[in-house]
Amino acid sequence: MKKDLHPSNYRLVVFKDMSNDYAFITKSCVDTKESITWEDGNEYPLVKLEISHTSHPFYTGKMKLVDTAGRIDKFRSRYNKK
């Protein structure tokens, strides 16, 4: 096996979908400054997600428009027929 192939900070991390408060724990080496207390009472690093499989329109079957930057309004105002 090659030395120093795997990351040294591989640990359990909580990923939380901020749109519906769904959270799951898995192993990752992502860097984060926030932490959360999980159901087992231990504290784990927290990564906040905008969308996950519980809120994505493909998996939920509900089409919903997520427009955080107002891109559609900008497009309509720019190309509106006068």
Side-chain angles (χ1 to χ4, degrees):
M1 302 257 317
K2 292 182 181 179
K3 293 185 97 179
D4 300 325
L5 181 65
H6 297 287
S8 60
N9 62 345
Y10 196 64
R11 71 225 185 271
L12 289 173
V13 177
V14 175
F15 289 87
K16 185 174 183 179
D17 185 349
M18 299 311 291
S19 64
N20 60 4
D21 290 334
Y22 174 76
F24 60 94
I25 190 167
T26 187
K27 288 190 172 185
S28 178
C29 59
V30 66
D31 290 328
T32 181
K33 294 180 181 180
E34 298 182 62
S35 62
I36 189 170
T37 303
W38 189 244
E39 299 162 353
D40 61 1
N42 294 329
E43 192 168 324
Y44 297 104
L46 173 67
V47 176
K48 294 180 179 178
L49 304 173
E50 291 182 21
I51 196 162
S52 70
H53 71 281
T54 59
S55 62
H56 194 279
F58 179 80
Y59 296 107
T60 60
K62 298 176 184 174
M63 292 302 293
K64 85 176 169 182
L65 180 62
V66 178
D67 185 26
T68 57
R71 286 177 248 140
I72 293 174
D73 293 332
K74 288 179 187 176
F75 177 82
R76 286 183 180 157
S77 66
R78 183 181 298 155
Y79 296 106
N80 192 8
K81 302 248 182 191
K82 295 180 181 178

